[in-house]
Amino acid sequence: MNGFVKARAPWSRPYGAADISIDLGTANTLVYIRGRGIVLNEPSVVAVREVAGGKQEVVAVGLEAKALVGKTPHSITTVRPIKEGVIADYDLAKEMLEHFIRRSRRPWQFGKPSIVVTLPHGVTEIEKRAVEEAGYSIGAKKIVLIKEPIAAAIGANLPVLEPVGSMLVDIGGGTTEVAILSLAGIVCCHSIRVGGDVMDEKIIEMVKRKHRLYIGEQTAEKIKIALGTAWSDGDTQRARVKGRDSVTGLPKIVEITAEEIAEAISTPLRAIVNAIKTALATTPPALAGDIVERGIIITGGGALIRNMDTRLQRETGLPIIIDKSALLSVALGGGKAIEDPELLEAISNG
Ligand SMILES: Nc1ncnc2c1ncn2[C@@H]1O[C@H](COP(=O)(O)OP(=O)(O)OP(=O)(O)O)[C@@H](O)[C@H]1O
Ligand SMILES: [Mg+2]
């Protein structure tokens, strides 16, 4: 995987260093191991089976569990334990973390690791504590929390330690965070609980309403990625979509147009545009000049929606830069921080 940042001999563990950095995302979890880079990138999904006494047994985690979404017998359900960037199901989040860390470490690495976890800017103390407790309960020696917008900015190579204003928009599965950063800190951050998941829900609703067809989350996500656009450019692309007729219950195939998808995702896209405009309106004047000059950096999976740059450029009049590692930026930034204890120290207090 091309997520490697800076090699340090794995045995030279600098004072204050962390061993593992985890981007615990609503849609995807990424694990970066110091000295090795990003070693795991899998959907944040767990498949569970109900067993005697009302207990749950985990049957699959990550990619394997996502492949089961919507296809399981009644006794098995798939759960996404992270919602809107924070732990929603404590026990399953803990099991998922434990499983991912176990798979990421080499067999001889059995000491207790120090773990950096990246979290959205607006999390509450309770939400932070849940992550810390989950980390300690799976055997971490130390948990360090860093804010996702800072990690993403470092991952996107922005000059976060300098007295220069940068604006970063991270459009994830569950949240969109719009942050203005300078001098290793977040000057202001506007966070909304809207991201790629809401777009998928809107597509499911539209297909049901207009075509009387039930489709699953995964199908909706696939059509969003194939046909979704943030700025319609007369695209006449179409896709054949399989689902179940909402009236007869029989399997059916319908054709969906790019225009229909653009219409379905227009409300969440508008909310994202408005969040960016609100953040711009509250930017301190001294930093606004830097942003006008340097533009806005867009990251997270939602940055990859076709024509996102055109849409945001037209709406804000500012240069828009789509991060070239949009799906990796938070993990890469967390990784750079664990490779560099001084950087970690500077941002974990920010
Ligand atoms: N090429 C693409 N076009 C459109 N959307 C995409 C594309 N690739 C991924 N996505 C969407 O991006 C979202 C996942 O992005 P990301 O991995 O950044 O989220 P996350 O970090 O898990 O979530 P959060 O940061 O909200 O906790 C999903 O909704 C996915 O459908
Ligand atoms: Mg994210």
Side-chain angles (χ1 to χ4, degrees), residues 34 39 51 68 79 107 110 114 138 174 180 186 194 199 203 229 240 242 255 261 264 275 288 326:
R34 184 165 49 81
V39 295
V51 289
L68 298 176
V79 182
F110 26 62
S114 288
I138 61 167
I180 316 275
I186 295 177
V194 173
M199 297 182 201
I203 291 173
T229 180
R240 282 157 65 80
K242 286 181 237 158
E255 252 192 9
I261 299 300

Side-chain angles (χ1 to χ4, degrees), residues 15-18 116 142 144-146 150 154 161 184 336-350:
Y15 177 75
V116 165
K142 189 175 165 202
V144 179
L145 303 178
I146 61 179
I150 297 188
I154 294 171
L161 299 179
K336 280 188 184 174
I338 63 170
E339 301 283 1
D340 180 349
E342 276 172 33
L343 176 63
L344 181 58
E345 168 83 25
I347 62 169
S348 57
N349 296 330

Side-chain angles (χ1 to χ4, degrees), residues 23-30 41 44 66 80 82-86 120 148 170-177 194-200 221-222 224-226 228 299-306 326-330:
D23 167 11
L24 198 55
T26 306
N28 301 298
T29 296
L30 284 80
N41 179 357
S44 309
K66 189 170 179 180
R80 290 174 55 180
I82 312 295
K83 293 238 154 55
E84 296 164 349
V86 295
E148 265 167 21
D170 179 355
I171 309 170
T175 55
T176 294
E177 300 210 287
V194 173
D197 288 352
V198 178
M199 297 182 201
D200 300 347
E221 184 183 25
K222 277 191 196 140
K224 172 187 70 182
I225 292 176
T299 193
L304 303 175
I305 294 173
R306 207 155 45 85
L327 284 160
L328 307 179
S329 59
V330 171

Side-chain angles (χ1 to χ4, degrees), residues 154-215:
I154 294 171
N157 296 316
L158 300 184
V160 287
L161 299 179
E162 290 165 33
V164 178
S166 301
M167 186 168 190
L168 179 117
V169 181
D170 179 355
I171 309 170
T175 55
T176 294
E177 300 210 287
V178 187
I180 316 275
L181 306 122
S182 177
L183 279 173
I186 295 177
V187 180
C188 46
C189 184
H190 193 63
S191 181
I192 53 169
R193 301 203 161 192
V194 173
D197 288 352
V198 178
M199 297 182 201
D200 300 347
E201 281 164 27
K202 294 285 175 194
I203 291 173
I204 293 173
E205 275 170 34
M206 179 278 290
V207 173
K208 183 170 164 236
R209 199 181 57 247
K210 286 188 76 171
H211 299 278
R212 291 189 315 166
L213 188 75
Y214 284 132
I215 57 166

Side-chain angles (χ1 to χ4, degrees), residues 4 19 33 55 66 81 128 136 138 148 164 178 187 207 222 245 247 259 269 271 280 287 304-305 312 335:
F4 189 75
D19 307 293
I33 304 267
K55 292 217 167 110
K66 189 170 179 180
K128 278 189 200 166
Y136 289 122
I138 61 167
E148 265 167 21
V164 178
V178 187
V187 180
V207 173
K222 277 191 196 140
D245 189 294
V247 178
E259 214 175 304
L269 276 172
L280 282 170
L287 298 176
L304 303 175
I305 294 173
L312 296 178

